[in-house]
């Protein structure tokens, strides 16, 4: 298989460009790596545990802990111990973090416009459907994989 035919290499290229664009756009807010993704998830799933955040974002517990610690240091989130299970921390978005959501969404919107700028409306719709189909296939693969390892 030729390098140019490798789907993974093309996905990696898009991922790398996405990562660099978002990190540059949010640099002045001291958001690095997946930190912005935690804020987006917390905006709709406030109060979830660190572990469930890591699982939802498909990140290791260590990566999630580092990101959450950094976000807390910046004042974008805060943690509280769970009343029922003191081993669990619940994570909440702060007012400062909530103010950042429009900035994050604007950066993501601009990135999407760049990525899709050469697509017709029909091509964009097809591209999105194919990405959803690929994502769903991988989610199902993960679920089956998890069941085999139990």
């Amino acid at each position: 298989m030729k390098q140019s035919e490798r789907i993974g290499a093309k996905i990696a290229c898009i991922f790398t460009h996405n990562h660099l664009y978002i990190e540059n756009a949010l640099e002045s807010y001291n958001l690095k790596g997946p930190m912005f993704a935690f804020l987006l998830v917390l905006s709709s799933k406030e109060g979830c545990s660190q572990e469930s955040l890591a699982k939802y974002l498909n990140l290791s517990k260590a990566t999630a802990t580092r990101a959450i610690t950094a976000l807390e240091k910046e004042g974008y989130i805060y943690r509280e111990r769970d009343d029922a299970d003191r081993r669990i921390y619940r994570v909440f978005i702060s007012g400062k973090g909530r103010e950042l959501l429009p900035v994050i969404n604007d950066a993501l919107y601009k990135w999407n416009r760049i990525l899709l700028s050469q697509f017709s409306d029909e091509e964009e719709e097809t591209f999105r459907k194919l990405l959803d189909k690929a994502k769903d296939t991988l989610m199902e693969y993960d679920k089956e994989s998890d069941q085999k390892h139990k």
Side-chain angles (χ1 to χ4, degrees):
M1 182 181 310
K2 294 180 192 172
Q3 177 72 15
S4 63
E5 294 174 348
R6 289 183 44 232
I7 293 171
K10 293 173 184 182
I11 292 169
C13 178
I14 292 169
F15 175 82
T16 300
H17 280 82
N18 176 70
H19 174 80
L20 291 172
Y21 181 88
I22 298 302
E23 198 156 278
N24 286 334
L26 302 175
E27 182 177 35
S28 64
Y29 300 96
N30 220 12
L31 292 178
K32 297 186 179 7
M35 290 167 64
F36 79 94
F38 283 87
L39 291 174
L40 289 175
V41 171
L42 285 171
S43 71
S44 62
K45 296 183 179 294
E46 204 163 14
C48 62
S49 70
Q50 285 184 212
E51 188 173 342
S52 64
L53 273 171
K55 188 177 252 185
Y56 185 83
L57 291 169
N58 205 22
L59 298 169
S60 71
K61 289 180 188 178
T63 299
T65 299
R66 282 191 300 274
I68 288 167
T69 300
L71 286 164
E72 191 172 34
K73 183 180 175 187
E74 292 294 326
Y76 295 133
I77 62 152
Y78 61 95
R79 296 182 293 168
E80 294 180 356
R81 284 206 187 266
D82 185 276
D83 290 335
D85 186 343
R86 304 296 288 164
R87 297 170 296 173
I88 296 173
Y89 277 101
R90 300 282 172 196
V91 186
F92 300 87
I93 192 166
S94 69
K96 183 178 177 184
R98 208 165 283 292
E99 289 173 7
L100 198 52
L101 293 173
V103 175
I104 294 169
N105 285 319
D106 185 55
L108 292 171
Y109 175 80
K110 288 177 180 173
W111 164 251
N112 284 344
R113 294 296 11 117
I114 291 167
L115 176 65
L116 302 170
S117 64
Q118 299 299 310
F119 287 36
S120 69
D121 290 345
E122 184 179 289
E123 288 170 330
E124 179 180 339
E125 184 179 339
T126 300
F127 183 66
R128 287 177 184 276
K129 284 180 182 176
L130 292 171
L131 286 173
D132 283 338
K133 189 173 185 176
K135 179 189 66 100
D136 292 345
T137 299
L138 294 175
M139 298 296 278
E140 185 61 33
Y141 173 82
D142 286 348
K143 192 187 311 179
E144 289 171 8
S145 220
D146 284 348
Q147 290 173 352
K148 285 180 185 176
H149 292 104
K150 286 186 178 182

